Amino acid sequence: AALRRTDVILEVGPGTGNLTVKMLEKVKKVIACEIDPRLVGELQKRVQGTCLANKLEIKVGDILKTDLPFFDACVANLPYQISSPFVFKLLLHRPFFRCAILMFQREFALRLVAKPGTKLYCRLSINTQLLARVDHLMKVGKNNFRPPPKVESSVVRIEPKNPPPPINFQEWDGLVRIAFVRKNKTLSAAFKSSAVEQLLDHNYRIHCSLHNTVQKIQSVLKNTGYSEKRARSMDIDDFIRLLHGFNSEGIHFS
């Protein structure tokens, strides 16, 4: 994390504070977010009466339902069940932070860094890589934990792209969601589902009160050259071109 003396650090799920104490010795302040009141008590006891106590701020509650404070870096061994929603909460957070060093379940970490055409490449991969640079730093075997969990872990570095790409993320995610529902299907087939046609027809009417969306969808796919492509092999630039093709014909996603 390359922590600095002037840093404010966000930690999620500090538990009894093994990582927290190490960071408090190096930084200006640690904001620790913990949902379990018993662990909050343990953490408070651990720093009570020490010179570290005034550098620790504890927020009690569910991080997914809490507005994130200002911070320079996020360093955390996350509760794995909140991995995906927390990553996107982080990436859409403003003002920008420098980086996040996070421990995830191994397979989730590998999805974050997966490249087009590989087995683990998915909507999570492309959405994260649109908004940030992601690097796999190290593997952490389950025997490093007491008690050992059933899964292997990995540490990942996430650095938000600043400035972010000039794209409406809600629309982008709407397009990517459709493409990846059946990532091995051609886009032509994916966009033929009646639910997709109804959604786009509805959005199309809102934007320009016209009909006959089905032919329009297929003609955009054909004109952009993506009709026979599969989501699993498409990169960020491909999806940007496709989204632009739909938008320029008045077709929007939400």
Side-chain angles (χ1 to χ4, degrees), residues 206-221:
I206 288 173
H207 279 87
C208 53
S209 307
L210 290 168
H211 306 292
N212 204 5
T213 318
V214 182
Q215 283 92 328
K216 214 167 185 81
I217 292 170
Q218 294 302 324
S219 80
V220 169
L221 290 171

Side-chain angles (χ1 to χ4, degrees), residues 2-47:
L3 300 183
R4 303 166 187 169
R5 285 263 165 228
T6 52
D7 278 344
V8 174
I9 304 299
L10 175 69
E11 184 186 9
V12 179
T16 55
N18 292 342
L19 183 60
T20 320
V21 170
K22 294 237 181 268
M23 292 196 291
L24 285 169
E25 291 165 358
K26 292 179 178 292
V27 301
K28 181 180 168 187
K29 183 181 185 183
V30 174
I31 302 169
C33 302
E34 178 56 67
I35 199 167
D36 186 337
R38 291 166 308 167
L39 291 173
V40 170
E42 291 294 318
L43 186 53
Q44 281 169 330
K45 251 190 286 182
R46 187 158 182 174
V47 297

Side-chain angles (χ1 to χ4, degrees), residues 18 26 49 52 71 75 80 84 124 138 146 154 199 214-215 229 243:
N18 292 342
K26 292 179 178 292
L52 302 176
F71 60 95
V75 181
Y80 290 171
S84 188
L124 173 72
M138 68 175 107
R146 294 285 174 275
S154 279
L199 168 76
V214 182
Q215 283 92 328
K229 295 276 190 202
L243 182 58

Side-chain angles (χ1 to χ4, degrees), residues 150-169:
K150 292 194 172 81
V151 296
E152 302 287 342
S153 301
S154 279
V155 178
V156 167
R157 177 187 172 90
I158 297 174
E159 197 176 315
K161 290 180 183 172
N162 184 7
I167 285 172
N168 176 324
F169 185 74

Side-chain angles (χ1 to χ4, degrees), residues 76-94:
N77 174 14
L78 276 185
Y80 290 171
Q81 69 273 20
I82 66 165
S83 297
S84 188
F86 182 69
V87 165
F88 287 104
K89 189 175 176 90
L90 262 189
L91 290 176
L92 298 172
H93 174 66
R94 300 292 179 269

Side-chain angles (χ1 to χ4, degrees), residues 2 7 16 25 55 62 73 78 130 133 143-144 147 187 193 226 228:
D7 278 344
T16 55
E25 291 165 358
K55 295 164 83 176
D62 183 342
L78 276 185
L130 172 77
R133 177 185 163 164
N143 293 328
N144 290 288
L187 290 193
S193 106
Y226 290 107
E228 298 308 308

Side-chain angles (χ1 to χ4, degrees), residues 40-78:
V40 170
E42 291 294 318
L43 186 53
Q44 281 169 330
K45 251 190 286 182
R46 187 158 182 174
V47 297
Q48 231 165 24
T50 72
C51 58
L52 302 176
N54 62 353
K55 295 164 83 176
L56 176 65
E57 180 185 334
I58 302 176
K59 287 185 175 289
V60 188
D62 183 342
I63 191 68
L64 297 180
K65 295 175 182 166
T66 310
D67 288 337
L68 297 181
F70 168 83
F71 60 95
D72 297 295
C74 176
V75 181
N77 174 14
L78 276 185

Side-chain angles (χ1 to χ4, degrees), residues 224-243:
T224 52
Y226 290 107
S227 186
E228 298 308 308
K229 295 276 190 202
R230 290 169 167 77
R232 65 174 188 214
S233 61
M234 292 168 61
D235 63 16
I236 287 172
D237 290 342
D238 290 324
F239 277 106
I240 288 174
R241 281 194 283 271
L242 183 58
L243 182 58

